[in-house]
Structure formats: C-alpha cells, structure tokens
Amino acid sequence: MTAAAKTDVIIYVVSDSAGDTGELVVRAAIAQFHPIHADIRRAPFIQDEHALLRVVEQAKAQGAILLYTLVLPNLRSELSRLAEEKGVVTIDLLGSLVASLEEKTGRKSRQEPGLNHALDEDYFRKVEAVEFAVKYDDMRDTTGILKADIVLVGVSRTSKTPLSMYLAHKKFKVANVPLMPELKPPDELFKLRKDKIIGLTIGVHYLNVIRKERLKALGLPDSASYATTSRIEQELTYASDVMEKLGCVVIDVSHKAVEETASLIMEHVTRRS
C-alpha cells in the first residue's frame, strides 16, 4: 500500500512466536469486510513487559486494535493490564481456549511458544511454497510456471496474489499470470497440463467497484481507463478467450472470500491427483 492509500483500521498482531497464526486469523476476518484496507503490523517474538508496553503505546497512539497469541500466562496478563490501562481494544486469541483445554483435560499446557512451528519437513515445505509464491508473483519470472503445482491466470484484481499466498500456506507452489490484451501470454502456459491452471474471472460491475476503490486508495481519480466498464469488458473478453484456449477450469470470484475460492481450487487439485 502506498503512502497515499487510505487505511481503515490498524491491527497489531502480538506474539511470543512468529505471529503467523494471528495474522492468518486477522486476514480471514478482514476478508469479510472487502474492500476495506487494513494495516496489519506484526510484533513477533515478544519476550518481556517492556516490549509489550511499547506495542500498547503505539496501538494507543494510532487507535489500533491489538490481537495477541501469547502463550506465556505472565505476558498475557500483563498485556491485558496495560491495554485496559491505556484504553486499547484487545483480542486474546489463545488464552480462553488454552484455559478451557486445561480445565477439560485436567492437564497444564506446555507454555512453550512456537510449538506449531516445529522445524519439521512440513514447516520447511510451507516456507518453500511461500518463497515460491513471492518469486513467481505477477509473471515476474515465467520459468516458475513449469515448476508450479498451480498456476493462476486472470485480469488485474481477481485476487491472484492473495490466493497464491493463501495456497502457499497450504504448501502449494503457486505462480500467477496476469492477462491483459497488450501482453502476450507466456509460452510456458501452453506447455503446462491444463489441470494445473486455474482461470479466475469476475463480474463486470463487481470488478468496476473494486478497481475504483483501488484507484481511490492510491490517490488517483476513479475515472481512469483502468476502471471503466468498456476497458473491463475488453479485458474479461480477452482473458476468457485465453482460458478457452488453455482448456483450464474457470472460477468466478465475484463476492467470494479468498478462503472460499482457495477451497474450490484445492478441491480441484485433490480431484486431479
């Protein structure tokens, strides 16, 4: 997001580990309020009360929400105290669940941050997939197309990048390719098995609204050709022709959250294997 972009809400994700869990939950919630713009800021590997105080003071100054996934009880209680003292809205993502599990099982939690990130093969596969998605995002390097588990194609603002990152966290290597009339699709697309390609389409009106909001967020007039109905229709017609040539599955992402579209994609991938 650029400096000119409008931010609707700032959310700090505070963790005594990496903060992946908290950020995923925040993004899932934010998806229900599209197209608001959230500034998600991680405060990872918090170890002491001084670090907590700094984060709470920053959140107070910016009118932010604090979501935390603190495993250590002393850090949880101190954050709760500080937030109440400063009048900061907080959400404890783990505390209540851990307490309920302790009561139900009669066992104490291990109170070890980062256990869900044990450095096993599964974790490294996820890291590798995320790095792949970043490297081969938006056709920066077309060599990734033939290496990918999934290739997403579609016009601008059909959620290609968010879907790539979401699927990467599910350990899929995803490349994505923008389709526009002025840009010839890479030859690698036509060498790939069609069941590895997912076409993303969207309704004209819905895309018009999304693109206008994007232009406003960038401080640009919403009358730019990028968001006009005629330009959108031209792009979608072109993209539809390319997808037909590719023979790929096409998913309409209109009014769908990223998680819902990703679920449909994973179902398709499961069926092909």
Side-chain angles (χ1 to χ4, degrees):
M1 186 180 300
T2 68
K6 175 181 177 294
T7 298
D8 296 292
V9 62
I10 299 172
I11 303 174
Y12 279 86
V13 177
V14 183
S15 177
D16 39 20
S17 183
D20 289 345
T21 301
E23 182 170 347
L24 283 172
V25 170
V26 170
R27 291 194 181 282
I30 289 298
Q32 301 301 316
F33 296 89
H34 186 83
I36 72 168
H37 298 287
D39 184 355
I40 303 171
R41 305 179 182 180
R42 287 201 204 189
F45 304 110
I46 295 293
Q47 300 295 321
D48 55 54
E49 295 172 3
H50 294 295
L52 285 178
L53 178 59
R54 285 197 300 271
V55 176
V56 172
E57 288 179 338
Q58 289 171 355
K60 170 68 174 177
Q62 296 161 345
I65 296 172
L66 264 177
L67 178 141
Y68 57 101
T69 57
L70 296 167
V71 172
L72 299 176
N74 63 308
L75 293 180
R76 284 205 308 271
S77 60
E78 180 62 10
L79 179 54
S80 178
R81 184 189 71 78
L82 288 170
E84 184 174 1
E85 182 181 290
K86 303 288 185 182
V88 176
V89 175
T90 61
I91 302 165
D92 182 0
L93 194 60
L94 292 182
S96 298
L97 179 57
V98 169
S100 297
L101 288 170
E102 287 181 337
E103 181 179 353
K104 188 70 175 178
T105 64
R107 299 173 63 180
K108 296 292 291 181
S109 70
R110 293 165 64 179
Q111 298 179 9
E112 297 178 34
L115 287 179
N116 61 325
H117 280 169
L119 299 183
D120 54 14
E121 182 182 354
D122 198 55
Y123 176 71
F124 285 115
R125 281 179 59 203
K126 182 186 294 187
V127 170
E128 184 181 6
V130 170
E131 291 175 346
F132 187 96
V134 171
K135 183 175 181 179
Y136 299 112
D137 179 51
D138 212 27
M139 210 171 65
R140 288 178 187 153
D141 183 347
T142 59
T143 62
I145 292 173
L146 297 177
K147 303 173 188 174
D149 300 317
I150 301 168
V151 176
L152 305 177
V153 299
V155 301
S156 172
R157 312 309 292 177
T158 47
S159 301
K160 295 186 299 297
T161 297
L163 279 167
S164 295
M165 295 308 299
Y166 185 94
L167 291 165
H169 279 86
K170 300 296 183 181
K171 301 181 288 294
F172 292 101
K173 292 181 179 178
V174 185
N176 73 75
V177 177
L179 298 179
M180 59 186 75
E182 298 80 10
L183 192 63
K184 179 179 178 292
D187 293 335
E188 289 88 347
L189 265 182
F190 297 92
K191 298 175 184 176
L192 195 64
R193 281 171 30 199
K194 65 180 182 181
D195 60 0
K196 283 193 170 188
I197 307 171
I198 303 291
L200 303 174
T201 191
I202 192 169
V204 174
H205 172 72
Y206 192 56
L207 184 54
N208 176 257
V209 171
I210 291 173
R211 287 191 174 182
K212 283 185 175 180
E213 288 296 328
R214 179 57 177 165
L215 289 170
K216 287 179 185 177
L218 294 172
L220 300 171
D222 63 9
S223 57
S225 62
Y226 174 72
T228 61
T229 300
S230 59
R231 172 63 187 185
I232 289 171
E233 288 175 342
Q234 179 191 11
E235 288 187 32
L236 289 173
T237 299
Y238 172 77
S240 177
D241 290 343
V242 172
M243 293 174 197
E244 187 174 350
K245 290 175 184 175
L246 292 170
C248 63
V249 165
V250 179
I251 298 174
D252 189 335
V253 301
S254 304
H255 306 290
K256 285 188 177 68
V258 167
E259 294 80 3
E260 184 180 357
T261 305
S263 177
L264 293 172
I265 293 170
M266 288 186 287
E267 283 178 23
H268 170 72
V269 171
T270 302
R271 284 198 303 269
R272 84 182 182 200
S273 58

